Amino acid sequence: MSSKDRILGRIRRALRDDAPAVEIPRDYLHVHGARTPAQRVDLLAAHLAEYRAVVHRTDEEGLPALIARLLAERGARSVLVPPGLPPHWLPAAGPIRVPDRVPDRAASTPYELDRVDSVVTGCALAVAETGTIVLDAGPDQGRRRITLVPDHHICVVRVPDQVVDSIPQALPLLDPTRPLTWISGPSATSDIELDRVEGVHGPRTLEVVLVGTQ
Amino acid sequence: MTGTHLGMPAFPAAAPAFPAAAREAVRDEGLRANLRHATHTIRDKRRRAVAELEDWDRLRAAGRAVKDHTLRHLDRYLLQLEEAVTAAGGTVHWAADADEANRIVTDLVRATGEREVVKVKSMATQEIGLNEALEAAGIAAYETDLAELIVQLGHDRPSHILVPAIHRNRAEIRDIFRAEMGGWGRAAPEPLGDDPRELAEAARLHLREKFLRAKVAVSGANFMVAETGTMVVFESEGNGRMCLTLPETLISVVGIEKVVPTFRDLEIFLQTLPRSSTAERMNPYTTMWTGLGPSRGADGDGPSAFHLVLLDNGRTDTLADEVGRQALRCIRCSACLNVCPVYERAGGHAYGSVYPGPIGAILSPQLRGTGSAIDASLPYASTLCGACYEVCPVAIDIPEVLVHLRERVAQGGPVTRGGVRVTLRPADGHTAERAAMRAARLLLDRPGALRAAERLLARARRLAPRRLPGAGRAWTDSRELPTVPAESFRDWWARERSDPR
């Protein structure tokens, strides 16, 4: 008998008692509180900041200059770019020195990624109540590893369109067959005396740019 | 590399019974201080995080129901999961016990030709002693979670589900890093202080060289979704993401009870697990993947081979126990450890298992049976105060299961071991308890005799020993004998009530 058959047989024998069927109550809240779109974005910003993400706000027009400034302040010499990132997000030239663009390629080794200073991506959506950004490897987000290995991640969220209130609102909008990465603040650990320290293996700096009408 | 011992020391099969192990730990002032600081910090944070959700009780009830429903139809959901994972390009293996799981993983690693693997923190792989099995096969397994790294470098054992090195303070961790990191790879930077920031940085540098070259990773999973085949790992540091996305081969060893029916069910646990475990609204990183993804790994996003090892190892035996099966609802959040007065004083090692604390006291004796001294003693490692039940996000009635298991240990009875129904004999060493219970029944059934006994005890209180003689000695080995009051409650009551006011 295979182990599969053995395990399934044990399960079926174990469940011979006539315990009643279990109903799953779904009366928990779909959203915690009523918010206007602006309040939803404010809550997202507050929760992101509480877990040490750096939050910026701008409009479409101001976006390239803001990203250029953030990269310059970081001293980034190279920036990873997913294939579908809107070209106008990154300035081609300007008063600030533009870092070298590194394309997101399947052939890149982890060592090559490790030499990149910064990465700029979009996101699939953001969840205000938990301060979470979800990436689904879409064209403007790229492979999972590009937002992991470099130490500086700039993530652009279109507000209020990409912001939902809650986890129950987020799940139906996501495709589980795509690789999903949920990010709430930068990498952190509490393993030493439960003191929270930001920045262990993932990016130490997460900058979130909320782009919308200001 | 030196010939450093790479495995994580497993819990010895002949671990001392809980009272003996706990007595050692309780005397360790440093350990108690570390534990007290950590558990009190996190329990206060957790209370605040939970209070933010006005529907917490409803989420808890829903989480409980999802797990119970899944367990009632576990065969169906496991088959559905296997089908979905296979359709998404993964390979599913079934392991009836620890040896089989270790053999499967060892063979899979050998087939890649690699001699080392990076590991995401996983309770299941600790439970089966995978690191030791790999080491015996000449494969080095590197733990990458900071706390697990501290435990592994310290040739130590984990003492907490979420924070395995909770018993270590920063100075101890610095000493371990300085002494051990060089023997495993990149040495700790010199000088190395004991600031958590510096220590985390040392771990980052040490582990990054392993992440970047690793070809094989081993993980567990927090949840598996039957309908889609989606695997879910919650973490904070990014070591999980490194292991789950950079290597070419990913092997996940997961207990069969971790399956949930639908993707939607995650909306419950995404809200309850982080708040219960790290006391945060959300943990920094959660990774969800389904087989090899839509392009079957061809685009280089994630591993090009995915293996899922479904682990029984005593879970079906636990399922066969109508009272005890609720332990399989556990989502390993560790909230019950942080509120437990016994855990706070005894520490995690005293439980003789990778599952310490209240959940360990009901899980280990069910997964392993109560044949050993440690497993027979675990149902007694509790004051039955009920705090563990109060905080449990899936409402496991731990006190109920503890009492049920105590009865089984003391009285014997029918149990399922290895899928076979057997009758358990009363355990050795519990004759004193049985005798005491018979004596108590004798007295409690006879009010006159009880009154006489109480008066006699009050009068003789100065003579009362600190430890009981004879059959009672085992009881006082692990307990301070309570001080006898100057007068019995009955006498006090009679005096107070007759006092005319």
Short mmCIF file of all heavy atoms in Angstrom, two decimals, chain A residues 1 12 28 36 63 85 93 95-96 107 126 135 143 156 161 165 180:
data_model
loop_
_atom_site.label_atom_id
_atom_site.label_comp_id
_atom_site.label_asym_id
_atom_site.label_seq_id
_atom_site.Cartn_x
_atom_site.Cartn_y
_atom_site.Cartn_z
N MET A 1 0.84 -1.19 0.00
CA MET A 1 0.00 0.00 0.00
C MET A 1 0.88 1.25 0.00
O MET A 1 1.88 1.31 0.71
CB MET A 1 -0.88 0.00 1.27
CG MET A 1 -2.09 0.88 1.13
SD MET A 1 -2.90 1.27 2.69
CE MET A 1 -3.05 -0.29 3.48
N ARG A 12 -9.92 8.36 6.97
CA ARG A 12 -11.32 7.91 6.85
C ARG A 12 -11.75 7.10 8.06
O ARG A 12 -12.87 7.24 8.54
CB ARG A 12 -11.49 7.13 5.54
CG ARG A 12 -11.47 8.06 4.33
CD ARG A 12 -11.30 7.36 3.02
NE ARG A 12 -11.10 8.36 1.96
CZ ARG A 12 -10.38 8.16 0.86
NH1 ARG A 12 -9.80 6.99 0.64
NH2 ARG A 12 -10.25 9.12 -0.02
N TYR A 28 -18.17 37.88 10.14
CA TYR A 28 -17.16 38.87 10.48
C TYR A 28 -17.23 40.02 9.48
O TYR A 28 -17.82 39.90 8.41
CB TYR A 28 -15.76 38.24 10.50
CG TYR A 28 -15.43 37.38 9.30
CD1 TYR A 28 -14.92 37.95 8.15
CD2 TYR A 28 -15.62 36.00 9.33
CE1 TYR A 28 -14.62 37.17 7.04
CE2 TYR A 28 -15.33 35.22 8.23
CZ TYR A 28 -14.83 35.80 7.09
OH TYR A 28 -14.54 35.03 5.99
N THR A 36 -14.01 57.69 3.39
CA THR A 36 -13.99 58.27 2.06
C THR A 36 -12.69 57.80 1.40
O THR A 36 -11.76 57.36 2.09
CB THR A 36 -13.98 59.80 2.13
OG1 THR A 36 -12.75 60.20 2.75
CG2 THR A 36 -15.16 60.34 2.93
N LEU A 63 5.81 62.95 -10.38
CA LEU A 63 6.38 61.64 -10.08
C LEU A 63 7.84 61.46 -10.54
O LEU A 63 8.68 61.05 -9.74
CB LEU A 63 5.47 60.54 -10.66
CG LEU A 63 5.87 59.10 -10.35
CD1 LEU A 63 5.88 58.84 -8.85
CD2 LEU A 63 4.95 58.11 -11.05
N LEU A 85 7.26 48.89 -16.55
CA LEU A 85 7.17 50.13 -15.77
C LEU A 85 6.91 51.29 -16.73
O LEU A 85 7.59 51.41 -17.75
CB LEU A 85 8.47 50.38 -15.01
CG LEU A 85 8.38 51.39 -13.87
CD1 LEU A 85 7.77 50.74 -12.63
CD2 LEU A 85 9.75 51.97 -13.53
N ALA A 93 16.66 62.11 -18.52
CA ALA A 93 17.78 63.01 -18.28
C ALA A 93 17.26 64.18 -17.47
O ALA A 93 16.06 64.35 -17.31
CB ALA A 93 18.35 63.52 -19.61
N PRO A 95 18.39 67.51 -14.39
CA PRO A 95 19.41 68.13 -13.55
C PRO A 95 20.08 67.12 -12.61
O PRO A 95 21.23 67.30 -12.22
CB PRO A 95 18.65 69.20 -12.76
CG PRO A 95 17.20 68.80 -12.85
CD PRO A 95 17.04 68.02 -14.10
N ILE A 96 19.34 66.05 -12.26
CA ILE A 96 19.90 65.05 -11.34
C ILE A 96 20.52 63.92 -12.14
O ILE A 96 19.94 63.48 -13.14
CB ILE A 96 18.81 64.51 -10.40
CG1 ILE A 96 18.17 65.67 -9.62
CG2 ILE A 96 19.35 63.46 -9.45
CD1 ILE A 96 16.94 65.31 -8.85
N ALA A 107 17.67 35.76 -16.82
CA ALA A 107 19.04 35.24 -16.81
C ALA A 107 19.91 35.89 -15.72
O ALA A 107 21.01 35.40 -15.44
CB ALA A 107 19.67 35.45 -18.17
N ALA A 126 -3.12 47.94 -2.69
CA ALA A 126 -2.66 48.22 -1.33
C ALA A 126 -3.86 48.13 -0.39
O ALA A 126 -5.00 48.42 -0.78
CB ALA A 126 -2.04 49.61 -1.26
N LEU A 135 2.16 42.73 -4.37
CA LEU A 135 2.74 42.62 -5.70
C LEU A 135 2.31 41.28 -6.31
O LEU A 135 2.31 40.27 -5.61
CB LEU A 135 4.27 42.68 -5.66
CG LEU A 135 4.94 43.83 -4.90
CD1 LEU A 135 6.45 43.75 -5.09
CD2 LEU A 135 4.43 45.18 -5.38
N ARG A 143 9.77 40.31 -11.53
CA ARG A 143 9.96 39.07 -10.74
C ARG A 143 10.02 39.37 -9.25
O ARG A 143 10.47 40.44 -8.85
CB ARG A 143 11.25 38.38 -11.19
CG ARG A 143 11.17 37.81 -12.57
CD ARG A 143 12.50 37.25 -13.04
NE ARG A 143 12.36 36.67 -14.36
CZ ARG A 143 12.28 37.40 -15.48
NH1 ARG A 143 12.36 38.72 -15.43
NH2 ARG A 143 12.11 36.81 -16.64
N VAL A 156 5.41 52.41 -6.23
CA VAL A 156 4.43 53.44 -6.59
C VAL A 156 3.02 52.87 -6.49
O VAL A 156 2.72 51.82 -7.06
CB VAL A 156 4.70 53.95 -8.02
CG1 VAL A 156 3.67 55.01 -8.41
CG2 VAL A 156 6.12 54.51 -8.12
N ASP A 161 -7.22 54.72 -6.59
CA ASP A 161 -7.71 53.56 -7.35
C ASP A 161 -7.19 52.22 -6.86
O ASP A 161 -7.91 51.23 -6.85
CB ASP A 161 -7.32 53.70 -8.83
CG ASP A 161 -7.82 55.00 -9.44
OD1 ASP A 161 -8.52 55.74 -8.72
OD2 ASP A 161 -7.50 55.26 -10.62
N ASP A 165 -9.86 48.99 1.42
CA ASP A 165 -9.87 49.14 2.87
C ASP A 165 -9.25 47.96 3.59
O ASP A 165 -8.48 48.12 4.52
CB ASP A 165 -11.32 49.29 3.37
CG ASP A 165 -11.82 50.72 3.26
OD1 ASP A 165 -11.21 51.59 3.91
OD2 ASP A 165 -12.80 50.97 2.54
N LEU A 180 2.29 35.85 -5.44
CA LEU A 180 1.87 37.04 -4.69
C LEU A 180 2.85 37.33 -3.56
O LEU A 180 3.24 36.43 -2.82
CB LEU A 180 0.47 36.83 -4.10
CG LEU A 180 -0.66 36.55 -5.10
CD1 LEU A 180 -1.96 36.24 -4.37
CD2 LEU A 180 -0.86 37.76 -6.03
#
